[in-house]
Amino acid sequence: MTHAHSHTPHHGAQHDPHQQDDADQAEILDLDAEVLAEHIAAITAWLPLKTGPRQIVDLGCGTGAGTFALLDRFPEAHVIAVDASPGHLQRLRKKACAQDADDRVRTVQADLDAADWPDLGRPDLVWASASMHHMADPDRALRNVHGMLAPGGLFAVVELAGFPRFLPDGAPEDRPGLEDRCHAATDHFHAEHVPYRGADWGPMLTAAGFTLDGERTITVNIDDAHGEAIGHYALATLRRIRGAAAETLPAEDLAALDRLLDTDSPHSILHRDDLSVRTERTVWAALRT
């Protein structure tokens, strides 16, 4: 889930693909938080809460986009930030210290696919942004959240409608429609490997014992107000997309995509001034009654 940074490997991590993948994902999460900050704030403002929560759990917190939005929205709250990645949690802790919020954040490293979760207390609010669709057994995860929440507590599930789109219609000029074809290829990949991506969480929440209290879809369409950050966000995202789409894209499309990803090329996506961020975010708010 989750913010521009260079795309170079961490020292000592060049030969560990898992560590590099972790660093690449952290970069996207940081850029996501930076570019979509207003939209995340709009979701936290919309949450149907009668009183401000004191104890919040951020499940699959990544590098902290949701954690810090929730701390801003609820100044009396403390957040337990949970993620499987020690690298993500380390970044989050550094940000908390930089914002003098380290006394309001506790990080917990945990595998949320495990049958038994660590003791995360009795939160009033559980937030899961772009993390539920990664669960191997989301029904069990939903039941775990239901059992953990305080009576009357709220569970907010936030999901992005796939990868954002960045290029205008007709771009790139040498291969129009490339972005659409890349997305089609990644949709096929994710249907096989991440089956709950794009799921309707409403019925699943109800089946786990929750009462659905609201659902909202927010359209994201951000132009060049974040110019440099959008370029880096597009670069990092398209690199991610290439990894999922490479096996099924035609050679001409792959070559055109590589030209966009080559930061030394005049065709690099970093040199375009016509980028925007277009996607949708949906949030489901569910009560433990």
Side-chain angles (χ1 to χ4, degrees):
M1 66 131 142
T2 2
H3 334 98
H5 309 277
S6 67
H7 209 85
T8 52
H10 288 181
H11 291 296
Q14 286 89 334
H15 304 296
D16 184 339
H18 294 294
Q19 264 186 281
Q20 182 54 38
D21 188 59
D22 211 37
D24 291 348
Q25 188 184 27
E27 180 188 19
I28 291 180
L29 291 170
D30 282 351
L31 288 162
D32 184 74
E34 179 181 342
V35 173
L36 302 181
E38 289 176 24
H39 293 275
I40 301 170
I43 291 172
T44 62
W46 170 82
L47 293 176
L49 289 154
K50 293 180 177 63
T51 56
R54 294 302 185 102
Q55 298 296 329
I56 301 173
V57 170
D58 182 0
L59 287 178
C61 59
T63 59
T67 296
F68 295 107
L70 292 162
L71 289 174
D72 286 345
R73 174 74 181 88
F74 304 112
E76 302 298 316
H78 288 74
V79 177
I80 298 177
V82 187
D83 203 274
S85 164
H88 290 358
L89 294 174
Q90 186 177 12
R91 279 193 184 218
L92 194 155
R93 279 194 296 270
K94 284 183 179 175
K95 292 179 193 176
C97 290
Q99 296 182 26
D100 291 327
D102 47 319
D103 59 333
R104 297 176 60 203
V105 180
R106 178 162 73 89
T107 56
V108 174
Q109 185 185 347
D111 177 4
L112 295 174
D113 282 332
D116 296 318
W117 286 6
D119 182 2
L120 300 173
R122 205 84 170 129
D124 317 295
L125 171 64
V126 175
W127 169 275
S129 178
S131 56
M132 289 305 300
H133 71 269
H134 288 291
M135 305 282 183
D137 186 350
D139 292 321
R140 182 176 66 194
L142 293 174
R143 291 193 299 272
N144 283 349
V145 174
H146 188 272
M148 170 173 62
L149 261 174
L154 190 76
F155 182 27
V157 175
V158 186
E159 288 287 339
L160 208 59
F163 288 115
R165 291 170 189 261
F166 301 95
L167 292 164
D169 289 340
E173 290 66 23
D174 55 344
R175 293 292 291 175
L178 171 67
E179 195 169 32
D180 287 341
R181 293 190 294 277
C182 286
H183 278 262
T186 57
D187 287 345
H188 178 77
F189 175 89
H190 286 113
E192 187 177 340
H193 297 279
V194 195
Y196 294 99
R197 186 176 183 250
D200 180 358
W201 291 92
M204 297 168 76
L205 286 159
T206 304
F210 290 97
T211 301
L212 206 57
D213 196 34
E215 180 182 335
R216 184 181 180 193
T217 297
I218 294 177
T219 299
V220 177
N221 195 339
I222 302 169
D223 56 19
D224 57 4
H226 296 268
E228 190 174 333
I230 286 181
H232 285 279
Y233 187 34
L235 180 69
T237 302
L238 285 173
R239 280 180 171 160
R240 199 88 176 165
I241 286 172
R242 190 195 189 284
E247 288 186 15
T248 53
L249 280 180
E252 296 88 346
D253 279 349
L254 208 53
L257 183 57
D258 285 340
R259 284 191 289 276
L260 285 172
L261 297 177
D262 180 358
T263 54
D264 296 323
S265 163
H267 303 288
S268 167
I269 200 159
L270 291 181
H271 298 320
R272 299 192 72 108
D273 60 4
D274 56 358
L275 301 176
S276 60
V277 181
R278 305 183 305 282
T279 187
E280 287 184 340
R281 268 202 164 130
T282 301
V283 54
W284 292 263
L287 285 169
R288 182 190 171 181
T289 49

